[in-house]
Amino acid sequence: MTIKETPRRFAKDAPIYFAGDAAGRLLKVACGAVMIFHIYDDGRRQIVDIVTEGELVHFQFDGELDHYAEALTQTTLIEASADAALSDQAWAEFIFAQMRGRLQRERRHIAMLGQKSAAERLAEFLILVSERLSTPLGDIELPMTRQQIADYTGLTIETVSRLFSRWTRERRLVVTGKRTYRIEGELAA
Amino acid sequence: MTIKETPRRFAKDAPIYFAGDAAGRLLKVACGAVMIFHIYDDGRRQIVDIVTEGELVHFQFDGELDHYAEALTQTTLIEASADAALSDQAWAEFIFAQMRGRLQRERRHIAMLGQKSAAERLAEFLILVSERLSTPLGDIELPMTRQQIADYTGLTIETVSRLFSRWTRERRLVVTGKRTYRIEGELAA
DNA sequence: CGTTTCCTTGATGAATATCAATAGTGGTGG
DNA sequence: CCACCACTATTGATATTCATCAAGGAAACG
């Protein structure tokens, strides 16, 4: 018995769910990319993770969701019943593997935010994105605004902008398109 | 058929495993507390999570571990075969619930490190510890050095020490024992 | 006790946030 | 196609927070 999967499409920047929404459905990214984030009362926002093709968006299958999700690009999600998936052997293994990957990324993110300088954080972010969102050419596809990058790295848009400018000036980073870059040398320094 | 569980004891500050160690065994805290951390080449350390009674220490059941674990207090762990546990219904559900809890905490930790000031971070840390390591009396049991607190909050020991001093001076925090505190007012401010 | 480790406190400096102004970019309708 | 508008990014000047450096004191341990 296969599990019923319903596709849902989201425009760029469209909200996917809010904190407080009921969980219960399992969401898998078919194409596009999703950002997961927290918001504080005063408007501060922290992007916690970026979810890409083939990955699950969250693992909260009952109760309420405690974070937000938004489409970073035009995105198609596959929706399925969480209960059904959990009792299916193959799905359960997939879910487990996904959770493990997510835990690993989040651990790295914690270490980055806790210990690294602005330049180190941005460099690590770019490398992460190049591994997860890249075109096959090796160029970094960066479908994020400065504000989003700042909210992922825990910096301000000005600091992010200054680092981009400096690296570009120093030819460590080359702008190869409207929203694509290529890393030429060692960043971080 | 029940799964074989072997207890193992660790002294305070004893290492439990290192990054690079083979995974494969499942570890559950029977009593005590364990800290999970990352280390960089230059010695910087980030404590990623604190694992307490009844919780699983990690979820890497094959390949290599990519982080370190150390006993925060005298600790007893239960060791079991990961394979056996994963194919047991009740265990699988427990593992899933544990992973979800861990993901939730790590998300919060990311948001804290990315967006909050030193005072806010330390306040949040104390509240977290009071929820997770507290005595039934409401006092905060703090079996951690200033360095460990700093490595959890991404601050320096001096900053941590100054905040403790200030809050104690302002009677927001009361020292009720050698390593126990009580929160009296609003911290963070 | 002496020794080591941990903690506190002060003085200073560096990294990064904040504030402010300008420039660029994309989108829309005339 | 152009002109306008709103949004995003850049850049500079300044302020703030927190780290670093340095020294002394307290607690823990043999």
Side-chain angles (χ1 to χ4, degrees):
Chain A
M1 175 195 72
T2 57
I3 290 165
K4 187 176 165 232
E5 303 183 358
T6 323
R8 290 179 60 198
R9 314 201 83 227
F10 294 87
K12 178 170 161 60
D13 299 325
I16 293 169
Y17 54 78
F18 299 87
D21 284 2
R25 321 247 74 212
L26 178 148
L27 299 173
K28 181 172 163 177
V29 179
C31 82
V34 172
M35 66 176 190
I36 302 298
F37 56 100
H38 276 230
I39 297 183
Y40 291 110
D41 307 330
D42 58 7
R44 282 181 289 185
R45 177 177 74 166
Q46 176 66 42
I47 297 178
V48 170
D49 202 5
I50 293 167
V51 181
T52 61
E53 288 178 23
E55 300 180 335
L56 291 176
V57 179
H58 70 80
F59 307 95
Q60 189 74 42
F61 300 146
D62 48 37
E64 287 184 3
L65 291 159
D66 66 345
H67 61 273
Y68 298 76
E70 195 172 296
L72 214 48
T73 60
Q74 177 166 298
T75 296
T76 306
L77 299 182
I78 306 287
E79 196 174 273
S81 152
D83 290 344
L86 276 172
S87 44
D88 177 275
Q89 173 71 13
W91 265 99
E93 272 172 29
F94 173 68
I95 292 170
F96 176 73
Q98 283 289 306
M99 289 180 95
R100 237 178 28 178
R102 182 79 148 258
L103 276 166
Q104 225 164 314
R105 278 207 305 283
E106 294 195 357
R107 266 203 310 274
R108 261 183 68 181
H109 201 167
I110 288 172
M112 169 184 120
L113 292 173
Q115 301 301 324
K116 299 212 163 179
S117 69
E120 289 174 313
R121 289 190 211 181
L122 188 58
E124 186 163 330
F125 166 78
L126 287 175
I127 289 164
L128 181 90
V129 167
S130 78
E131 288 166 357
R132 313 198 79 238
L133 295 177
S134 243
T135 70
L137 294 146
D139 285 19
I140 300 177
E141 180 111 37
L142 235 196
M144 293 172 71
T145 65
R146 293 285 182 269
Q147 185 62 63
Q148 288 170 332
I149 297 170
D151 288 347
Y152 184 94
T153 54
L155 303 169
T156 57
I157 52 173
E158 292 96 331
T159 299
V160 171
S161 183
R162 276 185 247 273
L163 284 167
F164 268 102
S165 299
R166 204 181 84 205
W167 287 339
T168 305
R169 200 181 325 120
E170 294 170 349
R171 297 276 182 280
R172 296 157 186 262
L173 200 61
V174 177
V175 180
T176 59
K178 196 163 303 192
R179 261 193 160 26
T180 58
Y181 297 83
R182 181 175 310 182
I183 297 174
E184 287 288 330
E186 279 300 310
L187 304 179
Chain B
M1 176 194 72
T2 58
I3 291 165
K4 186 174 166 233
E5 303 183 358
T6 323
R8 291 178 58 198
R9 315 201 83 228
F10 294 87
K12 178 172 162 58
D13 298 324
I16 293 169
Y17 56 77
F18 299 86
D21 284 3
R25 323 247 74 212
L26 178 149
L27 299 173
K28 180 172 165 177
V29 179
C31 81
V34 171
M35 66 175 189
I36 301 299
F37 56 99
H38 276 229
I39 297 183
Y40 292 110
D41 308 329
D42 58 7
R44 283 182 287 185
R45 177 177 73 166
Q46 176 65 43
I47 298 179
V48 170
D49 202 5
I50 293 166
V51 182
T52 62
E53 288 178 24
E55 299 179 336
L56 291 177
V57 179
H58 69 81
F59 307 95
Q60 188 74 42
F61 300 146
D62 49 38
E64 287 186 1
L65 292 158
D66 66 345
H67 60 273
Y68 297 76
E70 194 173 298
L72 214 49
T73 60
Q74 177 167 298
T75 297
T76 306
L77 299 182
I78 306 286
E79 195 174 273
S81 153
D83 290 343
L86 277 173
S87 45
D88 177 275
Q89 174 70 13
W91 265 99
E93 272 172 29
F94 173 68
I95 292 170
F96 176 72
Q98 283 289 306
M99 288 180 96
R100 237 178 28 178
R102 182 78 148 259
L103 276 166
Q104 224 165 315
R105 279 207 304 283
E106 294 195 358
R107 266 203 310 274
R108 263 182 67 181
H109 200 168
I110 288 172
M112 169 185 121
L113 293 173
Q115 301 301 325
K116 301 212 161 179
S117 69
E120 289 174 313
R121 289 189 211 180
L122 188 59
E124 186 165 329
F125 166 78
L126 287 175
I127 288 165
L128 182 89
V129 166
S130 78
E131 288 166 357
R132 313 198 78 238
L133 296 176
S134 241
T135 69
L137 294 146
D139 284 18
I140 301 177
E141 181 112 37
L142 234 196
M144 292 171 73
T145 65
R146 292 284 182 269
Q147 185 62 62
Q148 288 170 333
I149 297 170
D151 288 347
Y152 184 94
T153 54
L155 303 170
T156 58
I157 53 173
E158 292 96 330
T159 299
V160 171
S161 182
R162 276 185 248 273
L163 284 167
F164 268 102
S165 299
R166 204 181 85 205
W167 287 338
T168 305
R169 199 181 325 121
E170 293 169 351
R171 297 277 181 279
R172 295 157 187 260
L173 200 62
V174 178
V175 179
T176 59
K178 195 162 304 193
R179 259 188 160 31
T180 58
Y181 297 84
R182 180 175 311 183
I183 297 174
E184 287 288 330
E186 281 299 311
L187 304 179

